[in-house]
Structure formats: C-alpha cells, structure tokens
C-alpha cells in the first residue's frame, strides 16, 4: 500500500494563494478534507489527482513524484470530481463500459466488475436507463461506481454526497468505510456530519491552510472545556448569537431556547459545559478570530 505525501505544496491563482504550504501524509484509511466553501479543498483535490500542478512543493506517491509517474499513477487512482461529465444518451451500462475501456480494465474482467459495482451502489435495476433520465442522486452513485472501476489503491472524491438523500448518504458512508480498509480514500466535503461518520482522520482547511488534523476524538479535545449550553429567553438567545460562536439554538417551548455556543469563559451564569462534537471543532477553527 503506497503512501501519498504532500511536501510543502502551494498553489496560487492570479497571484492569490489558494493552497498554502500544506504538509501531510496519507496512509491506508479514510481521510476527510473539511472546510468551508472556498477554503481550497477542490484545488487540493485537483492537485492530488494530477489535474493541477502545485506552484511549489511536491506530491509524492511512495518515493516518486506523481507527475513523473504518468500512467502508472493514473492506474492506481480513482477520482470522482464535484462535477463529472457524461454522454446524456448513453445508458448506465454503456457509460460504465466506456469508462472501463478508458481505464484499460481488461474486457474479460470489465463486465463482472461493472455488475458488481452497480449492485453495490444500488443501480443494477436501472442499468439500461439513459443517463439523462437519472436523478441527481443516481448520477452521483454512477460517479462513485466509475471511480472504482479499476479497483484503485488511491480513491479521491470531491463532495461525493452532494445530491444524495439521507438514506443514500448513510448507505454511501457504510460503503466508503469498508473501502478504506484496503486503500487510501480521500474525501472532500463541507458537510461536517458526513466526514464525522466516514473519516478515520480529518484534515481541517481554512483559506488554503491546515488549521487542524487528527481523529474526531483528538480534534474534539481541542475544544474540550469551551463548549457550553444555556437555556435562555428568545431575546437573550439572539443577543448571545451576536456575541459568541453559536452552533445551535433549539426551541424548548414555554418561551425558552437552548443555546449551544463556543467560548473560552463561561458565557452566562446558567451555562453548563457540554460534550464537544466535530461541528463545534469546525466552528472553532473556522472562526475569523480566536475565540
């Protein structure tokens, strides 16, 4: 199993840094890239799959730079971009066969592999349906299936749960967890709950820079003692929302609101410490100023 290593990589657009001096090593397992929209996740993903070159630094697969590996790296790679192209009049089966040829999957293996993947993503019943007739969620599942056609050692997916309904997202999360036992899986998302359930390790990115990394437990330790809950009136809840980083405001009836917020100090006399979650970590790390 190869290592995938970022060595001080940097990327600018029109002189503006988008990814800033990132260093990280991916081993076997599922990794979540978590950040707000515009944080640089997609740019990083595009560099990982060789679509973009970093302006400085290197991306290493084992002991080789990926841009020197050429076809060898592409054969190891499965990629689901945020938006993937397809021919609308192709059936699902024809599309998968077409991609199998492009990925040089041996013909004697391709049919069995396609059937197996369509079963796994729940599309075997619509394999003769034209791509243009599929729902957004179904198209996303076709994208996931095509990324796995060549049984890649490195699987990279950009916003893979976009367009999936809750049931599909749960099924997808279980599917990806199993895949991570045999390969490197890198998933980019801004949906905190998906990353929390899927990822073995998480890389938090803000404005192109790494602002945190580790397991969910390790990251939550970072905000331990900083997450509070307080029962307030609607008026005082709104006031707290202006003063602190608030992760939730839950109506409790009888003119009461439970406010969950992040603060170094006790925010109100009635506030009690709460168990931190990844969403709290995300808000803490993405805050414009230190809390």
């Amino acid at each position: 199993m190869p290592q995938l290593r970022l060595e001080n990589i940097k990327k600018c657009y029109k002189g503006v840094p988008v990814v800033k001096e990132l260093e990280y090593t991916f081993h076997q397992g599922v990794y979540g890239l978590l950040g707000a929209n515009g944080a640089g996740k997609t740019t990083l993903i595009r560099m990982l799959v060789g679509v973009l070159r970093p302006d400085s630094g290197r991306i290493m697969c084992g002991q080789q730079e990926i841009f020197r590996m050429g076809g060898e790296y592409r054969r190891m790679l499965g990629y689901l971009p945020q938006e993937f192209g397809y021919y609308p009049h192709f059936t699902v089966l024809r599309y998968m066969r077409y991609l199998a040829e492009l990925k040089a999957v041996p013909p004697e293996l391709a049919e069995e592999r396609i059937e197996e993947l369509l079963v796994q993503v729940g599309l075997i019943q619509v394999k003769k349906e034209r791509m243009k007739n599929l729902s957004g969620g179904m198209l996303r599942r076709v994208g996931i299936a095509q990324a796995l056609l060549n049984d890649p050692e490195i699987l990279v997916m950009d916003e893979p749960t976009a367009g999936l309904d809750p049931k599909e997202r749960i099924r997808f999360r279980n599917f990806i967890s199993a895949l991570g036992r045999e390969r490197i899986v890198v998933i980019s998302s801004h949906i905190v709950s998906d990353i929390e359930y899927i990822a073995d390790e998480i890389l938090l990115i803000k404005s192109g820079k790494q602002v945190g990394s580790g397991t969910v437990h390790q990251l939550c330790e970072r905000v331990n003692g900083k997450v509070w809950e307080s029962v307030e009136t609607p008026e005082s809840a709104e006031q707290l929302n202006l003063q602190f980083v608030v992760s939730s405001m839950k109506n409790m009836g009888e003119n009461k609101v439970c406010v969950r917020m992040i603060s170094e100090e006790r925010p109100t006399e009635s506030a009690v410490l709460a168990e931190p979650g990844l969403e709290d970590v995300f808000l803490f790390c993405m805050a414009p100023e230190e809390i």
Side-chain angles (χ1 to χ4, degrees):
M1 175 60 61
Q3 283 186 359
L4 195 57
R5 192 167 68 254
L6 312 178
E7 295 185 351
N8 203 30
I9 63 169
K10 181 178 178 181
K11 184 68 181 177
C12 298
Y13 286 123
K14 297 181 179 179
V16 178
V18 179
V19 172
K20 305 172 186 175
E21 300 168 353
L22 274 180
E23 292 198 1
Y24 199 75
T25 301
F26 301 95
H27 304 275
Q28 180 179 316
V30 182
Y31 293 82
L33 303 181
L34 188 58
N37 287 330
K41 301 187 305 296
T42 294
T43 299
L44 174 56
I45 286 285
R46 288 166 65 83
M47 287 191 285
L48 280 175
V49 300
V51 175
L52 291 176
R53 284 180 177 267
D55 294 331
S56 60
R58 301 187 303 174
I59 302 174
M60 305 293 290
C61 181
Q63 300 303 312
Q64 299 183 74
E65 190 172 5
I66 64 169
F67 296 100
R68 295 181 181 272
M69 294 174 68
E72 183 186 352
Y73 185 64
R74 288 192 293 274
R75 282 190 292 273
M76 298 170 66
L77 186 70
Y79 176 39
L80 172 63
Q82 196 166 354
E83 301 290 339
F84 70 95
Y86 59 88
Y87 294 104
H89 293 285
F90 274 20
T91 64
V92 172
L93 189 56
R94 186 181 176 192
Y95 175 77
M96 292 290 287
R97 285 170 174 165
Y98 171 67
L99 266 293
E101 285 188 33
L102 290 183
K103 293 174 185 247
V105 179
E108 64 273 15
L109 299 178
E111 288 301 310
E112 182 180 347
R113 181 71 176 153
I114 289 168
E115 291 284 321
E116 174 189 326
L117 287 169
L118 291 180
V119 168
Q120 287 180 327
V121 299
L123 292 175
I124 195 67
Q125 300 301 322
V126 296
K127 67 180 183 180
K128 295 184 179 179
E129 192 69 55
R130 294 185 188 275
M131 296 284 286
K132 67 177 182 178
N133 296 331
L134 300 183
S135 67
M138 285 180 171
L139 284 172
R140 208 70 192 147
R141 282 187 274 160
V142 174
I144 293 164
Q146 66 78 26
L148 291 164
L149 269 170
N150 57 327
D151 196 19
E153 294 177 69
I154 300 168
L155 178 60
V156 181
M157 294 183 279
D158 194 2
E159 301 288 352
T161 57
L164 301 184
D165 64 32
K167 184 178 178 181
E168 289 175 321
R169 283 170 62 192
I170 291 167
R171 179 175 183 167
F172 168 80
R173 293 194 310 232
N174 295 337
F175 183 42
I176 293 303
S177 293
L179 290 173
R181 291 195 289 268
E182 301 173 352
R183 68 200 83 216
I184 295 170
V185 181
V186 183
I187 298 172
S188 165
S189 182
H190 65 280
I191 302 173
V192 177
S193 61
D194 285 341
I195 295 298
E196 186 167 16
Y197 284 113
I198 293 171
D200 300 312
E201 290 197 29
I202 297 162
L203 179 61
L204 286 161
I205 299 174
K206 177 184 176 182
S207 301
K209 295 188 73 171
Q210 178 182 328
V211 292
S213 65
T215 64
V216 172
H217 176 73
Q218 288 168 339
L219 289 169
C220 286
E221 281 294 309
R222 186 168 174 176
V223 293
N224 200 24
K226 298 182 176 74
V227 182
W228 305 85
E229 288 186 350
S230 181
V231 177
E232 303 287 334
T233 65
E235 294 76 20
S236 62
E238 286 299 332
Q239 199 61 35
L240 289 170
N241 193 33
L242 297 174
Q243 292 178 271
F244 299 97
V245 174
V246 172
S247 59
S248 72
M249 296 173 65
K250 185 177 180 180
N251 289 318
M252 301 179 67
E254 298 180 353
N255 209 36
K256 293 179 181 178
V257 179
C258 182
V259 184
R260 185 181 177 95
M261 62 204 117
I262 304 166
S263 173
E264 294 280 359
E265 306 293 337
R266 188 187 299 271
T268 68
E269 288 186 10
S270 62
V272 295
L273 283 170
E275 188 74 22
L278 187 60
E279 195 167 78
D280 301 308
V281 177
F282 179 81
L283 290 171
F284 177 79
C285 291
M286 301 301 151
E289 297 178 0
E290 192 68 25
I291 298 168

